[in-house]
Amino acid sequence: YSRRDKETGETTFINSFHVTPTGTGRSRFHSASYYKAPFPIPRWIATIGLMNFLDQDTYLLATQQPNLLKYEAEAVRMMMKAQEEDNNTNNADAAQRYNTQMRRTNFNLATPSEKFAARLSAFWDATLCGVPNRMSTLLSWGASSSVGQAALPPRSVILDREEQHLKHCPDSQGVVKNCDRIRRYSKVILWATAIAKFWSRVVVLPSKDTSSVIHRLLGPKALAVTWSLAALAILFARKIRREFFFKYTEDLHDKDLDNIPKVW
């Protein structure tokens, strides 16, 4: 995906997305980004933006999937029934025909201009039944109606970024570890300076001599700057760390829905 200049044909960025099947009803999402920028952008920043984007679609796909698998299972049964009635029916041709029939019955493209979606649908029609073990897995789930009745996992499971991403990405694991270090060290600084301030005023330097180095380092302005920076470090580290765990709650989802009229 990119946006090219109509006159020069050039673009400042290219995003690529790859979805790799890992089993019936399961897949792994991969992405890559190429861009023009005066300095390298940390990968974890792009990762956070991508996960926030995916959360909006992943739950929708999860709720659709039981119904889609039910229709596909029904198409497989129709195909097998047709083969029993006509032994001359080619397996690949029958599979494509019934997959096409299932898709056209349950999906509608918004406009004839959606050529990419139509070509992608045709690709799935021709290949789905050729995926190893896919038809046998669908049939092993029992009657097609039971596929759609399977209990849907809660939102916290479907959108669990830790299980789906963090545990598989060393780069993101490093970011989380750094956030933990920043929070820990910042808390140490807060406590150390607070104790040092108390110690200097009560035990070591009860006098009002403001010329000493300790008084200057632990003066009101210096402490205000130190504590403010430490508090901000803790706040931002906590916010960044949170991005790698479950985040997209029902309340956040509702806020996104409220913003739709503002976009369109």
Side-chain angles (χ1 to χ4, degrees):
Y1 170 78
S2 65
R3 294 177 181 175
R4 298 184 180 274
D5 185 275
K6 294 183 179 180
E7 297 181 358
T8 63
E10 297 182 352
T11 183
T12 57
F13 72 94
I14 297 177
N15 293 328
S16 61
F17 307 102
H18 307 272
V19 180
T20 305
T22 57
T24 304
R26 300 193 308 274
S27 61
R28 172 65 62 186
F29 180 89
H30 302 267
S31 68
S33 298
Y34 305 90
Y35 55 87
K36 291 182 180 179
F39 54 85
I41 299 176
R43 289 176 56 186
W44 60 267
I45 293 180
T47 298
I48 290 175
L50 180 62
M51 289 191 296
N52 286 328
F53 169 76
L54 289 177
D55 275 359
Q56 297 177 328
D57 294 330
T58 302
Y59 193 75
L60 173 63
L61 295 176
T63 55
Q64 285 183 333
Q65 179 168 275
N67 297 313
L68 301 182
L69 293 177
K70 179 183 68 174
Y71 295 136
E72 187 179 348
E74 185 61 30
V76 170
R77 298 181 194 286
M78 292 173 61
M79 177 194 70
M80 296 180 67
K81 183 178 180 180
Q83 287 179 322
E84 292 177 358
E85 297 174 353
D86 184 2
N87 293 328
N88 296 323
T89 302
N90 181 272
N91 184 68
D93 291 342
Q96 182 174 354
R97 181 167 66 254
Y98 286 108
N99 268 302
T100 302
Q101 177 182 343
M102 181 271 294
R103 177 177 56 80
R104 290 180 176 174
T105 301
N106 298 286
F107 294 91
N108 290 305
L109 299 179
T111 67
S113 63
E114 293 193 51
K115 296 181 180 179
F116 176 77
R119 292 180 62 184
L120 183 62
S121 298
F123 168 78
W124 291 125
D125 290 343
T127 58
L128 271 182
C129 282
V131 176
N133 301 321
R134 186 176 184 88
M135 284 194 292
S136 61
T137 300
L138 287 171
L139 295 175
S140 70
W141 286 345
S144 60
S145 58
S146 67
V147 177
Q149 295 171 359
L152 187 69
R155 180 182 292 271
S156 58
V157 174
I158 295 175
L159 304 179
D160 187 351
R161 299 178 179 184
E162 181 182 12
E163 286 291 335
Q164 299 178 13
H165 171 76
L166 182 60
K167 289 185 176 180
H168 308 278
C169 182
D171 186 65
S172 295
Q173 293 170 10
V175 174
V176 171
K177 289 180 180 179
N178 288 335
C179 288
D180 290 336
R181 291 193 187 100
I182 291 173
R183 294 172 65 193
R184 186 167 57 251
Y185 295 157
S186 298
K187 290 178 181 179
V188 169
I189 291 173
L190 285 174
W191 279 105
T193 52
I195 294 173
K197 179 65 174 178
F198 172 80
W199 189 264
S200 68
R201 291 181 64 88
V202 177
V203 181
V204 180
L205 296 171
S207 68
K208 297 183 179 180
D209 180 13
T210 58
S211 62
S212 66
V213 175
I214 295 179
H215 269 301
R216 289 198 299 269
L217 293 177
L218 299 177
K221 292 183 179 179
L223 281 181
V225 172
T226 301
W227 289 347
S228 297
L229 292 177
L232 287 174
I234 293 173
L235 175 64
F236 282 111
R238 184 169 55 194
K239 284 184 174 295
I240 293 173
R241 187 184 189 279
R242 182 192 172 203
E243 296 293 330
F244 295 92
F245 297 86
F246 171 65
K247 171 187 173 183
Y248 203 60
T249 62
E250 191 72 35
D251 291 339
L252 188 57
H253 169 69
D254 291 341
K255 289 182 180 179
D256 277 347
L257 292 180
D258 293 337
N259 288 329
I260 291 178
K262 300 177 183 178
V263 177
W264 300 102

